Amino acid sequence: MTASTTRRSAARRTRILAVGAVAVSGALLLAGCGDQTNASQGGSDVKSAPLADKLPKSVKDAGVVKVGSDIAYPPVEYKDKDGKVVGIDLDIAKALGEQLGVEFAFENGTFDTLLGGLRSKRYNIAMSAMTDTKDRQNGIDSETGKKVGEGVDFVDYFNAGVSIYTKKGDTQGIETWSDLCGKKVVLQRGTVSHDLAKAESKKCEGGKKIAIEAFDNDQQAQTRLRSGGADAGSSDFPVAAFAVKTSGGGKDFELVGEQVEAAPYGIAVPKNNPELRDAIKAALDAIIKNGEYDKIISKWGVKDGAVTEAKINGGK
């Protein structure tokens, strides 16, 4: 979700899937939608972890970092065919947990509630393919320009742009956002794709606006396009590319044009917790240095989005 607004825009992007508590090897737990995670103590060893001393005492004592996430955004975080929660964010969080000696406990929620969950202290962090933008850093609603919260700090861990995709063999000449004028696009509510579609529609001439249908999650948008209910869909490049590769065995969709608005995904941390922010940054730098990060990014086939160092608030 992009540079000008947000890859999953300012505290929005809903993905609702009931996810049961699933233990992921090592230092990772996942909790069901609306449930607080009860982290077991059988995973990471705080005392032996190399960066445990960087954590705030409250987190170290609890042995867990509570993570708000919208777990329906493959390949970033999603349920596989066996019902197991997997994805890029899950693997990175596990590696961070091994450095810090705590579990990263994911709790499923709708994207547009995640930053509110940080403010209410339901979560310690939000990690959900959330684009780092100045508006989010400053607590500004990107559409209205009004202050809606205190803002967050981001630890940037990946880069991604936004893509358009169509039904395979039925591109209708669509290559750019301007080509969507007079057509219908489906996407996830509150994402950068949503922001871009609204902005582009205002530029359309001759009354040929873009018909925009926004859904709670990206998978619903894909279903709509697959059934012939729209001309195109849009989402983050890794998500669109994954859908093109996997939906219908690769027979449902195709990417059109180039990805745009490349920007960093960031792990959102409340501004009043710089100690936790800096601990996560140190852990991310450590897994980049030791090669674990590269293994994860390579595993998911998204090396084009890899970062070479952790940055704080690098979004524009």
Side-chain angles (χ1 to χ4, degrees):
M1 307 150 177
T2 87
S4 60
T5 50
T6 57
R7 193 137 315 273
R8 300 185 181 179
S9 156
R12 304 155 161 182
R13 194 208 84 178
T14 20
R15 306 199 237 129
I16 309 171
L17 269 185
V19 181
V22 182
V24 180
S25 61
L28 195 58
L29 289 180
L30 297 127
C33 182
D35 298 331
Q36 292 292 335
T37 300
N38 295 318
S40 72
Q41 298 302 314
S44 301
D45 184 349
V46 177
K47 293 181 180 179
S48 63
L51 299 176
D53 288 344
K54 291 185 174 293
L55 285 168
K57 185 177 185 302
S58 59
V59 175
K60 188 187 300 186
D61 290 347
V64 61
V65 175
K66 295 180 289 184
V67 185
S69 189
D70 186 4
I71 306 172
Y73 209 61
V76 187
E77 55 264 314
Y78 69 105
K79 292 177 73 174
D80 67 13
K81 62 182 180 180
D82 298 318
K84 181 181 178 182
V85 184
V86 296
I88 298 167
D89 281 359
L90 282 293
D91 287 350
I92 289 176
K94 177 179 180 293
L96 297 178
E98 290 170 350
Q99 291 293 318
L100 296 168
V102 292
E103 295 168 347
F104 277 61
F106 278 66
E107 181 175 332
N108 191 34
T110 58
F111 188 79
D112 58 356
T113 65
L114 297 183
L115 295 187
L118 287 184
R119 289 193 294 270
S120 67
K121 299 184 180 180
R122 179 174 183 175
Y123 316 123
N124 298 118
I125 65 173
M127 188 175 185
S128 194
M130 183 177 289
T131 299
D132 172 4
T133 67
K134 293 297 183 185
D135 282 349
R136 279 185 170 147
Q137 293 169 25
N138 296 322
I140 302 296
D141 185 297
S142 61
E143 188 168 352
T144 66
K146 295 181 179 179
K147 184 83 171 175
V148 293
E150 61 188 351
V152 295
D153 286 331
F154 286 99
V155 181
D156 299 337
Y157 66 99
F158 190 75
N159 286 304
V162 174
S163 293
I164 300 171
Y165 59 99
T166 66
K167 291 186 71 175
K168 193 162 189 176
D170 189 21
T171 67
Q172 302 179 62
I174 298 170
E175 293 185 356
T176 68
W177 281 86
S178 62
D179 294 330
L180 292 173
C181 292
K183 301 188 186 316
K184 185 175 182 179
V185 64
V186 289
L187 38 74
Q188 186 169 8
R189 184 177 297 110
T191 61
V192 166
S193 292
H194 197 182
D195 290 344
L196 285 173
K198 288 185 287 186
E200 190 62 45
S201 186
K202 293 177 182 178
K203 303 176 187 176
C204 293
E205 299 177 351
K208 293 184 177 181
K209 301 295 184 182
I210 300 173
I212 303 168
E213 188 170 5
F215 292 86
D216 282 344
N217 62 62
D218 200 71
Q219 292 167 335
Q220 292 171 346
Q222 291 174 22
T223 298
R224 184 69 157 172
L225 179 60
R226 192 182 297 112
S227 68
D231 300 297
S234 178
S235 60
D236 289 1
F237 170 73
V239 178
F242 188 82
V244 167
K245 180 180 179 180
T246 60
S247 181
K251 297 179 180 180
D252 288 342
F253 305 128
E254 65 178 280
L255 290 170
V256 294
E258 301 292 331
Q259 61 173 312
V260 299
E261 301 282 355
Y265 284 170
I267 300 169
V269 186
K271 283 190 177 293
N272 63 4
N273 201 345
E275 192 175 2
L276 178 58
R277 176 200 67 198
D278 292 346
I280 291 172
K281 179 185 183 301
L284 180 56
D285 276 328
I287 66 172
I288 291 171
K289 185 177 181 179
N290 69 17
E292 186 63 25
Y293 173 87
D294 186 64
K295 289 179 183 178
I296 294 167
I297 297 301
S298 298
K299 166 187 170 181
W300 290 102
V302 290
K303 288 196 70 171
D304 286 349
V307 299
T308 57
E309 62 177 331
K311 292 185 177 180
I312 294 175
N313 296 333
K316 299 179 179 179

